[in-house]
Every structure is written in structure tokens, then in C-alpha cells.
Amino acid sequence: MDDNLPLNQHTSHKYDQELENVRSRVLEMGGLVEDQCRKALKALVKSDMELAEEVATSDHKVNEMEVAINAQCTDILALRQPAASDLRVVVSIIRMAADLERIGDEAEKIGRLVKSLEKKRDRTTFRSEREPGFRDGTVGFRCASTN
């Protein structure tokens, strides 16, 4: 074995690429979910039916990404049999993808809720100014695990 090999690299360059690829995919998924959440809250606060419809119908992208990420992780687990830190990374990615998918589902529910609430409520009684962070229709949040 090469004693000069850095600790964060493996003897197989392809294995490193597979890990980086799946990591990049989950970061991309996190960005998509964050965008969905922002749009859902903006649709709620601004009563934007077009945006609510977009959020309510775009959840399939997140679902497809979760399935693809899980398939990639399963392949890595089966073919590479990672140990120690690599195993923790792969298992963490699987869990993050599942959590992000659930968050995306909640954004979708908000989109559907906005559409149903529009028919039932008097918008003049809803004041977003009462809620800090809702003034511009978004909430300033960042997922530290994806940055």
C-alpha cells in the first residue's frame, strides 16, 4: 500500500468519485427542498395560487431524487462494503435524503393547503406582519448540514 496516500482518498479513484457524486446529489436535493419551502411560505403569505400550484405539483422531483440517491447508496454499500467513516457518510446520506423527502412532502402539503384556504378565508384578516420573518413571504433558514 502507498504510504503517501492522503487519508481522505482511497486506492480506487472511482470509489472517491462515487462518494462525491452521491454527496453532490444530496446537496442538490437539499437546495431543491429549500427552494420548495421558500415558495410554499411565499405562496401562503402572498396568497399566490400559481406558486402554490407549482409547489404542490413539484414534489415528484424530490421523490425521484430520493429514490436515485438511495439506489446509489445501496450500490455503494453492496459493491464497495465501506467501513468506518465511509460507512457513516453513506448511512448519513440515506437518512438525510429521507428527511429531505419528508420536508418536501410538507412543502407540498402547504401548497395544497394554500389552494384550499384561498376559497375559505378572508385575506384581510391575515397579517403576515405579526410573524417575524414572514414579512417578505419567506423565512431565512439554512440547513447547516447542506452548507
Side-chain angles (χ1 to χ4, degrees):
M1 185 170 192
D2 184 7
D3 290 332
N4 296 326
L5 187 66
L7 293 176
N8 63 347
Q9 286 188 335
H10 300 94
T11 55
S12 171
H13 184 66
K14 186 174 181 196
Y15 182 41
D16 287 331
Q17 287 177 328
E18 289 171 359
L19 287 174
E20 182 58 31
N21 185 350
V22 74
R23 185 179 96 43
S24 296
R25 298 275 318 252
V26 81
L27 290 174
E28 180 184 344
M29 183 181 181
L32 182 61
V33 169
E34 183 177 3
D35 188 49
Q36 273 187 309
C37 290
R38 287 185 188 286
K39 287 178 179 179
L41 290 173
K42 186 174 182 178
L44 177 64
V45 172
K46 305 276 185 186
S47 191
D48 185 334
M49 291 302 110
E50 288 178 23
L51 197 55
E53 180 66 26
E54 179 185 335
V55 171
T57 59
S58 66
D59 185 54
H60 69 279
K61 295 175 192 172
V62 173
N63 295 343
E64 290 169 3
M65 288 183 85
E66 185 208 9
V67 169
I69 289 168
N70 282 342
Q72 277 184 288
C73 288
T74 301
D75 289 345
I76 290 171
L77 290 171
L79 301 173
R80 300 294 184 172
Q81 300 175 353
S85 65
D86 291 338
L87 180 60
R88 287 190 293 275
V89 166
V90 173
V91 170
S92 295
I93 287 173
I94 292 170
R95 293 181 70 176
M96 279 189 275
D99 290 343
L100 289 169
E101 192 276 330
R102 283 194 291 274
I103 294 168
D105 287 347
E106 294 303 318
E108 175 196 13
K109 287 179 190 175
I110 292 170
R112 286 184 299 167
L113 179 68
V114 169
K115 289 171 30 181
S116 69
L117 285 177
E118 184 58 25
K119 298 171 189 156
K120 297 177 184 175
R121 96 172 136 190
D122 177 14
R123 294 295 297 169
T124 60
T125 62
F126 182 75
R127 296 183 185 230
S128 62
E129 294 82 28
R130 292 182 192 159
E131 299 296 328
F134 281 167
R135 288 186 182 101
D136 64 352
T138 62
V139 172
F141 66 93
R142 293 273 184 232
C143 183
S145 65
T146 61
N147 290 336

